[in-house]
Amino acid sequence: MATALAVLGLVALTLGPALRGGFAWDDLSLIVYNPEIHPGGSLGRALGRSFWALGDRAHSPSAWLYWRPAVTALNALSWRLGGGAPWVFHAVNLGLHLGVLWLGWGFLRDRQRDPDAPSSQVARALVLAWLAAHASRAESVAWVSGSTDLVMAFAMLLGHALWHRRRWGLAALAACLAALSKEPGFALPALLALDHGRYDENERKEYLRGLGPMVLALGAVLLVRGWLLPPTWQGAAQSPWGVRGLLSALGGMLIETLSPWPRVTVFRPERFVGGLWLGVGVAGFAVLAAAVVWSFTPRGRAGWRGDLGWWWVLLLPGLNTAARFPESLIALRFLYLPLFALGALVLRAWPRTTRGRWAAGVAVLALTAAHAAALRAETAVWHDNETLWRRVLAVDPDNGYAAQELVNALATDRGPEAARVGALAARRALDRGDVSAATALAVRALSAQMYATPGGDGAALRALAAVYDGLAEGRATTMALGGTALTLRPRWRAEGSLRDPVWFELPRAVLALRRGERAEARGAFEGLARVPETRLPALTNLAQMEGQDGHFDAALRALDEADAMRAPDAFRVGLRAQLEAGRELLLRPDHPARSIALAELSLALGGAASCERWLQGFGEEAPPRVTLLRIRARVMQGDLRGARALATAAAARDPAHAAAWSRVMTQLGSTER
């Protein structure tokens, strides 16, 4: 009981703040913008396809490698329980972590020589505390999408406990849950087979026969997986870093295992291939090879071989032996379950003398304290998307991947800052000669600046259009992005970013719409609606354009298609409310009040020309409310001179409200300046 309370308090102290966190990185695509796991979505379809078959990853050649319906179902359940509130997902992760620690206590106990001895219990409690507060736990527990490792670890340890208690059928079900959560779960029978050295000859045969139901069950899962996701043998190419990369990744894992100062997952691999990581990896591989050889000796067969297998077999997939993750060399979440095997190895090597036990206990306690302090700090890193990428850039300012993600995170509501961050990162990339990264960042910065430019700022919109046209035509173009002067050169056209429908073609179409070039914008959006990566925003913009023109039924049909692709965000929820209000207005009898309401709605949708069209019937002697709407429409179109003329004429024919019209004139003057 004392151990349980101590571990619970340690988890609450280090990982408890995660309950106040939000969603970050893959959480957005897997959960927030995934309509199939939301109420009313096609959950059955989501369970039967690749874990990553969504958004721009739907057509990835490596999508067939990932089938994790157990995690998808858990995300759907969590969404329904809390209505999408992040704290529910974080609470589920914390609960899973505590469950894994409970099973981990039994896992460690089963592998000790004399588990009931007081000294063994103290050693086990110290090791479990270290595993509970290890600094790498932030990525698995504080990050919602780290639940894949949590569910797999829970299921594999549960299968281990049930198998050792001769519950063959239940152990097989646990193994299926592990395999349906993450791919290393299929290795459970092999890992259990390595444990046979702990038993005598008769027991050994019985336990190995007990693996039969598990192997059959996992074979059935594998057949279903192959039927739903036929393997293409694509996306599994060899790592571009070869043996050096593999050994460097092993060294990185070993360093992060002991180091209480972890690096966040995403960084530039080329910085770490070789050097210290390679040296540690070579030494670690030599020690591991010697340990494996020794495990075949009579003493080693007593259990060391099984613990080494649990550590090495589970660690191997985390060494990124394939070129599927070009932005990272290791991920700390891959340490989650292998650390329990390392804990078992530590307990096997625990000193037998009193002095040695004291020394080992103090060392583990000090290591736990250091990891706990680091874990609490790392938990805050995963608070939200912006916090995560700012931390990555603080660690590695030249990280182009992190800069792109930060620009994406800021672009929604802080366009100017997104443009500044992207432009500065592009400048750094140019300074180090990385034209590809500079291109991607510059185009993102340009896009963020375009979205942040007010619709009435005609000069700024024209300057942006000139930049886009110059890039499309292959001319060198210089522009101040976020206060940073950046020259975009014609040879960058060879880079993918200038053919990117998301970051080049889509913003260019939006810019055409904002400049009033509706025919050009409509044609661009219709073309982009046929591209999977841009179909959602293209449909949303087409819905808005139809609404501006008063075609509310057509607009709602386009919006229905968009909402079927991804759960509606706040903008699309508001857009639907406006379109439904417009459809209702059209059903009312023709009346001046209806025309004014439709004009206001058109203006809210960004349709200045439509606003003026609805107000045509009022003539020149219009009431003040109509005149104000006309003035706003002219301002939106960048026609400040026409807006001032309307205000001047209104003041002349309405002297009773001269002061109010004077304030309007003053506001128009400040806008013009």
Side-chain angles (χ1 to χ4, degrees):
M1 179 61 71
T3 300
L5 291 176
V7 171
L8 182 62
L10 191 59
V11 170
L13 177 66
T14 55
L15 290 164
L19 290 170
R20 299 192 297 269
F23 295 111
W25 200 10
D26 291 336
D27 299 344
L28 302 178
S29 55
L30 287 172
I31 299 170
V32 179
Y33 301 138
N34 186 1
E36 293 185 345
I37 70 167
H38 301 168
S42 180
L43 180 58
R45 181 167 174 259
L47 295 176
R49 66 179 189 175
S50 171
F51 188 64
W52 287 110
L54 40 85
D56 58 353
R57 304 190 192 188
H59 306 281
S60 170
S62 63
W64 69 273
L65 293 167
Y66 307 98
W67 186 49
R68 301 170 181 174
V71 179
T72 301
L74 179 63
N75 288 339
L77 177 61
S78 300
W79 187 278
R80 284 161 173 78
L81 288 175
W87 73 266
V88 175
F89 291 85
H90 289 292
V92 168
N93 276 18
L94 282 170
L96 285 169
H97 183 49
L98 291 173
V100 171
L101 292 172
W102 173 63
L103 291 169
W105 174 265
F107 177 84
L108 296 175
R109 186 185 186 282
D110 288 344
R111 310 177 95 76
Q112 284 184 293
R113 289 188 298 267
D114 186 9
D116 295 324
S119 60
S120 296
Q121 294 183 32
V122 171
R124 187 163 69 247
L126 290 173
V127 170
L128 188 71
W130 173 58
L131 297 175
H134 195 276
S136 67
R137 298 320 196 197
E139 189 172 315
S140 300
V141 184
W143 182 36
V144 172
S145 293
S147 61
T148 54
D149 292 274
L150 295 173
V151 179
M152 183 194 72
F154 181 86
M156 292 186 75
L157 291 179
L158 180 61
H160 169 274
L162 292 169
W163 184 74
H164 281 287
R165 286 154 183 78
R166 296 180 172 86
R167 303 292 182 86
W168 316 127
L170 293 176
L173 291 177
C176 291
L177 176 61
L180 294 173
S181 303
K182 200 169 184 181
E183 295 67 36
F186 282 101
L188 183 57
L191 297 175
L192 293 176
L194 290 173
D195 284 345
H196 75 280
R198 297 165 48 191
Y199 304 104
D200 59 34
E201 189 67 27
N202 293 329
E203 287 183 316
R204 190 178 306 168
K205 293 179 180 179
E206 181 185 4
Y207 276 101
L208 290 177
R209 283 196 300 268
L211 289 176
M214 185 180 295
V215 172
L216 290 175
L218 289 175
V221 171
L222 203 57
L223 287 174
V224 173
R225 177 192 176 106
W227 176 62
L228 292 172
L229 299 173
T232 62
W233 308 116
Q234 297 180 15
Q238 292 299 309
S239 168
W241 305 295
V243 175
R244 291 181 72 250
L246 183 66
L247 292 174
S248 296
L250 175 61
M253 285 291 198
L254 293 174
I255 290 172
E256 300 298 348
T257 295
L258 296 176
S259 169
W261 301 282
R263 298 176 177 87
V264 289
T265 291
V266 181
F267 47 75
R268 289 179 292 126
E270 64 271 16
R271 295 180 63 217
F272 296 92
V273 174
L276 176 63
W277 282 30
L278 178 60
V280 174
V282 171
F285 181 79
V287 172
L288 176 65
V292 169
V293 172
W294 178 81
S295 71
F296 283 88
T297 65
R299 184 181 179 187
R301 282 196 293 270
W304 285 87
R305 190 190 308 170
D307 294 344
L308 285 169
W310 276 81
W311 180 66
W312 174 246
V313 172
L314 293 173
L315 189 64
L316 186 60
L319 299 183
N320 198 6
T321 54
R324 297 193 303 274
F325 312 107
E327 74 279 0
S328 64
L329 187 61
I330 66 170
L332 299 183
R333 61 187 178 276
F334 296 152
L335 284 171
Y336 188 81
L337 186 53
L339 281 176
F340 283 91
L342 185 61
L345 289 170
V346 170
L347 290 176
R348 288 195 185 280
W350 201 261
R352 298 188 181 186
T353 65
T354 302
R355 181 175 297 180
R357 289 169 180 165
W358 272 101
V362 170
V364 172
L365 194 61
L367 192 62
T368 301
H371 274 274
L375 177 59
R376 184 174 174 85
E378 288 298 307
T379 298
V381 171
W382 293 93
H383 183 272
D384 54 46
N385 218 23
E386 179 184 345
T387 305
L388 170 64
W389 300 118
R390 286 194 184 279
R391 163 62 191 277
V392 178
L393 286 174
V395 174
D396 180 10
D398 291 334
N399 191 318
Y401 181 90
Q404 291 178 34
E405 292 294 332
L406 180 58
V407 171
N408 297 349
L410 295 173
T412 303
D413 52 5
R414 278 182 283 172
E417 186 176 0
R420 180 182 61 80
V421 170
L424 288 174
R427 171 60 61 192
R428 293 181 68 96
L430 277 181
D431 291 343
R432 63 176 185 268
D434 191 346
V435 176
S436 179
T439 303
L441 288 162
V443 170
R444 281 164 171 76
L446 182 62
S447 172
Q449 183 149 315
M450 188 279 297
Y451 285 116
T453 302
D457 193 344
L461 293 177
R462 284 193 298 274
L464 285 165
V467 174
Y468 276 106
D469 292 343
L471 290 173
E473 296 168 6
R475 291 185 278 107
T477 307
T478 301
M479 186 179 181
L481 296 174
T484 299
L486 202 62
T487 299
L488 311 182
R489 301 189 181 280
R491 66 190 180 96
W492 288 13
R493 295 187 66 196
E495 302 294 333
S497 295
L498 294 190
R499 299 189 299 270
D500 190 321
V502 176
W503 292 106
F504 189 79
E505 300 298 342
L506 179 64
R508 194 180 182 198
V510 173
L511 179 59
L513 176 61
R514 298 181 69 186
R515 296 189 65 217
E517 300 168 352
R518 297 180 64 80
E520 179 181 342
R522 182 181 293 276
F525 286 133
E526 289 174 349
L528 291 167
R530 294 189 288 271
V531 180
E533 293 83 357
T534 53
R535 179 169 173 76
L536 175 62
L539 286 171
T540 304
N541 278 283
L542 285 171
Q544 189 171 7
M545 289 185 71
E546 295 288 3
Q548 292 170 357
D549 294 338
H551 305 148
F552 298 111
D553 287 329
L556 286 168
R557 285 195 297 271
L559 196 59
D560 287 340
E561 291 186 55
D563 289 348
M565 295 183 62
R566 181 181 292 178
D569 55 13
F571 174 79
R572 276 187 282 141
V573 169
L575 177 59
R576 179 173 294 278
Q578 292 172 325
L579 295 175
E580 289 175 346
R583 183 169 61 181
E584 182 182 348
L585 284 171
L586 286 181
L587 297 176
R588 296 180 184 178
D590 192 9
H591 188 273
R594 187 192 79 152
S595 298
I596 292 175
L598 285 168
E600 290 176 332
L601 181 60
S602 296
L603 207 60
L605 289 169
S610 300
C611 171
E612 295 204 77
R613 188 172 64 251
W614 288 114
L615 300 176
Q616 283 179 350
F618 285 95
E620 296 297 328
E621 300 295 328
R625 183 179 178 185
V626 172
T627 303
L628 286 173
L629 286 173
R630 286 173 169 167
I631 291 172
R632 288 174 57 194
R634 296 290 177 88
V635 171
M636 184 177 289
Q637 296 174 86
D639 184 10
L640 293 177
R641 182 176 297 178
R644 289 177 63 85
L646 287 172
T648 302
R653 66 173 181 267
D654 187 17
H657 298 92
W661 290 114
S662 176
R663 287 194 296 272
V664 171
M665 296 282 287
T666 302
Q667 292 174 353
L668 290 172
S670 62
T671 302
E672 189 171 19
R673 286 192 294 273

